[in-house]
Amino acid sequence: MNRIASRTRIVLVFILVLSLGLGFFVGEFLTQSGDWISRPGSPHVYEAGQLNIGVVLDADGKILMDTREGKAYSTDTALNKAMIHWLGDRQGNIYAPALGNYVKEMLGYDPISGIYSYSEADSVARLTISAQVQKTAQEALSGYNGTVAVYNYRTGEILCAITTPNYDPDNVPENIRDGGVYDAPFWNRFTQAAYIPGSIYKTVTMAAVMEARPDLLEQTYTCTGRYDIEGDYLACETAHGTQTAKEAFRNSCNCAFAQIAQQLGGETLSRYVKKFGIHTAVEFDGITTAKGNYDAGDADIYLARSAIGQHLDQVNPCVFLTYMGAVARGGEGITPHLVEHISLGDETAYKAQPEVRERIMSRQTAQLLTEYMRATVTEKYGDWNFPGLNVCAKTGTAEVVTTQDGQEAAVKPNAMFAGFCQDDKYPLAFIICVEDAGYGSAVCIPIASRVLGACKSYLDG
């Protein structure tokens, strides 16, 4: 009798273990099977390491890529070059993480019926990018390395985001890995780069002043063309004389900003840089951007340089674009996105929803900074550069220092430009980063004029 009872207990233990194992497997299958089937290398999804799951369209329905029978790009060479950092290439040198993030939706997979998209309907992914705007950005940036991006700060839709250098995936250059004109062509500068920002960073310093020390806005600051600090100095190209804070912002006066930074203090400025999210990565569509950097240093000269976007300052273009969007929205940002809609026949597998971010500054600060940026365009850059648009912006000329044979060697500055349109009809925020190009105003404003003009035409329909 005892033997029977003992054997019964053993059988019950086996049954319990089997039940638990089966339950664990079913749970894992229901929750993880989509990841298993869509993993890189899955024959259901990839062919020769490349996605093979449907059609990709631009915002107007133009075919950008068709992977149903091998990877086929559009017939427009310029467009293919402009889109390569989002669609990838055949060799796998450039990966398209935004599309890879929605493999399950494009497959139409569920754990009960399995993969059904191929048997019932083709999968179609529609992006937010306008092919025409993207091509205009490609043409405007031609001959330079860098990035140009514009997004709708009301919806989060990316209208264009171009990285150069790039290449036609149907005609890969033989010298693609030799550097030169193809310096680092495989990485997406919009999401992966971190640039010294130069004077576009004065929008950050000024916002910190408006939040923490508004009394500094009432002072005047004298610029003789040079401001001495602890045996070192900051310089301006011209003596700006006595100016208000608003005038110093318009004039991009380094000497005035050095004085402002000393009164604001490194601890306060660091706190607001963190609050504004300037060096925090942005996540969207399965992409995590590069982070930025800020360090006020341990001396007044370093603090002064950090306040004007030099020293150890670095910003990621996508992160700074999102910051510009937050200012335009009254201090409350919105996350950008690239994939707008995924359908399987008549069924919707995915639909993007605007993702509002936490407030980074008061509405009053955002409105006042907008006023400063708008005045900079109307009184310095010229409204005529942006017909039909109320542009608020700040240029930057970022001094870059490299090391050659153990010695510091200055190179041509990076040209920077960031801002937004103060207009409900054209809710556009933008960022332009052009490497080794020179002055931000001379290089970037003509690019911005062409790209924003193309965005206006697109929104006008």
Side-chain angles (χ1 to χ4, degrees):
M1 190 71 178
N2 289 336
R3 183 179 299 175
I4 294 175
S6 177
R7 290 176 177 174
T8 300
R9 283 194 293 269
I10 293 173
V11 171
L12 290 174
V13 169
F14 281 143
I15 292 174
L16 178 61
V17 170
L18 182 61
S19 298
L20 290 173
L22 181 61
F24 176 78
F25 173 78
V26 171
E28 286 287 289
F29 177 79
L30 291 175
T31 60
Q32 303 295 326
S33 57
D35 294 329
W36 300 340
I37 203 69
S38 61
R39 73 189 187 281
S42 169
H44 302 286
V45 184
Y46 296 88
E47 182 176 343
Q50 299 299 306
L51 287 172
N52 184 28
I53 51 176
V55 180
V56 182
L57 309 177
D58 86 328
D60 292 320
K62 181 180 179 64
I63 293 179
L64 301 174
M65 185 172 68
D66 187 339
T67 68
R68 291 171 295 183
E69 297 181 5
K71 200 169 212 178
Y73 298 93
S74 79
T75 57
D76 188 329
T77 298
L79 178 59
N80 294 341
K81 292 175 65 176
M83 290 300 302
I84 192 169
H85 289 96
W86 296 115
L87 302 180
D89 62 359
R90 292 190 179 87
Q91 292 73 33
N93 293 314
I94 297 176
Y95 174 58
L99 294 178
N101 186 58
Y102 298 103
V103 167
K104 285 184 288 186
E105 288 80 1
M106 294 188 73
L107 284 172
Y109 177 82
D110 72 61
I112 305 302
S113 59
I115 298 174
Y116 59 81
S117 67
Y118 288 120
S119 60
E120 297 185 5
D122 290 326
S123 60
V124 178
R126 186 183 292 266
L127 305 186
T128 61
I129 283 180
S130 160
Q132 188 54 52
V133 176
Q134 186 80 348
K135 284 177 59 178
T136 299
Q138 164 78 23
E139 294 165 1
L141 197 56
S142 178
Y144 293 112
N145 291 353
T147 185
V148 175
V150 182
Y151 93 135
N152 184 318
Y153 59 75
R154 294 298 178 198
T155 64
E157 297 168 339
I158 298 174
L159 273 68
C160 80
I162 180 75
T163 285
T164 56
N166 51 33
Y167 55 91
D168 178 5
D170 284 328
N171 186 23
V172 181
E174 293 183 1
N175 62 338
I176 194 68
R177 295 186 180 276
D178 294 341
V181 295
Y182 289 107
D183 182 30
F186 303 129
W187 59 303
N188 188 330
R189 282 161 160 81
F190 175 61
T191 58
Q192 296 175 281
Y195 289 106
I196 298 170
S199 290
I200 63 171
Y201 211 78
K202 287 171 181 169
T203 62
V204 179
T205 302
M206 189 55 71
V209 170
M210 292 171 176
E211 291 269 291
R213 289 289 306 275
D215 58 296
L216 299 181
L217 303 177
E218 307 303 320
Q219 297 184 21
T220 57
Y221 304 91
T222 300
C223 170
T224 62
R226 174 182 171 125
Y227 186 73
D228 294 301
I229 309 175
E230 300 173 338
D232 210 328
Y233 68 94
L234 260 65
C236 291
E237 290 194 334
T238 185
H240 295 114
T242 300
Q243 344 156 61
T244 64
K246 186 176 183 180
E247 290 169 335
F249 182 86
R250 181 196 64 198
N251 294 329
S252 200
C253 180
N254 293 334
C255 298
F257 268 79
Q259 298 169 57
I260 290 170
Q262 284 182 297
Q263 295 185 73
L264 182 64
E267 182 178 341
T268 300
L269 184 52
S270 297
R271 185 170 71 251
Y272 278 94
V273 168
K274 182 177 181 180
K275 179 184 177 184
F276 298 155
I278 301 300
H279 52 59
T280 303
V282 169
E283 296 182 6
F284 69 97
D285 291 334
I287 299 168
T288 300
T289 70
K291 296 180 180 180
N293 184 71
Y294 179 78
D295 186 346
D298 55 3
D300 283 348
I301 184 63
Y302 298 139
L303 171 60
R305 289 173 178 164
S306 73
I308 64 171
Q310 293 291 157
H311 188 44
L312 301 178
D313 295 359
Q314 288 187 322
V315 299
N316 168 261
C318 181
V319 173
F320 208 82
L321 176 69
T322 306
Y323 169 66
M324 286 289 97
V327 176
R329 286 174 55 89
E332 188 178 61
I334 190 166
T335 301
H337 67 269
L338 179 76
V339 179
E340 178 65 21
H341 181 268
I342 295 173
S343 61
L344 291 164
D346 295 330
E347 296 185 12
T348 298
Y350 170 79
K351 180 72 172 69
Q353 299 296 328
E355 182 183 335
V356 178
R357 300 167 66 86
E358 64 181 18
R359 177 170 293 280
I360 62 171
M361 65 181 66
S362 70
R363 184 170 296 277
Q364 180 181 5
T365 293
Q367 290 173 343
L368 187 56
L369 183 58
T370 296
E371 179 185 321
Y372 276 38
M373 295 173 69
R374 178 68 183 137
T376 300
V377 173
T378 58
E379 298 172 20
K380 186 174 183 180
Y381 306 145
D383 252 350
W384 57 268
N385 284 298
F386 313 103
L389 298 171
N390 295 320
V391 174
C392 310
K394 183 75 185 74
T395 60
T397 304
E399 300 292 339
V400 180
V401 177
T402 60
T403 302
Q404 185 174 0
D405 299 327
Q407 301 293 322
E408 287 189 349
V411 298
K412 203 170 184 180
N414 289 342
M416 314 288 282
F417 195 38
F420 53 88
C421 299
Q422 188 187 27
D423 194 322
D424 289 338
K425 188 177 180 181
Y426 308 109
L428 305 169
F430 62 89
I431 180 79
I432 300 173
C433 310
V434 188
E435 300 168 14
D436 306 333
Y439 289 97
S441 56
V443 175
C444 294
I445 288 179
I447 294 174
S449 179
R450 292 182 64 183
V451 175
L452 291 178
C455 290
K456 180 179 183 297
S457 297
Y458 168 73
L459 293 177
D460 285 339

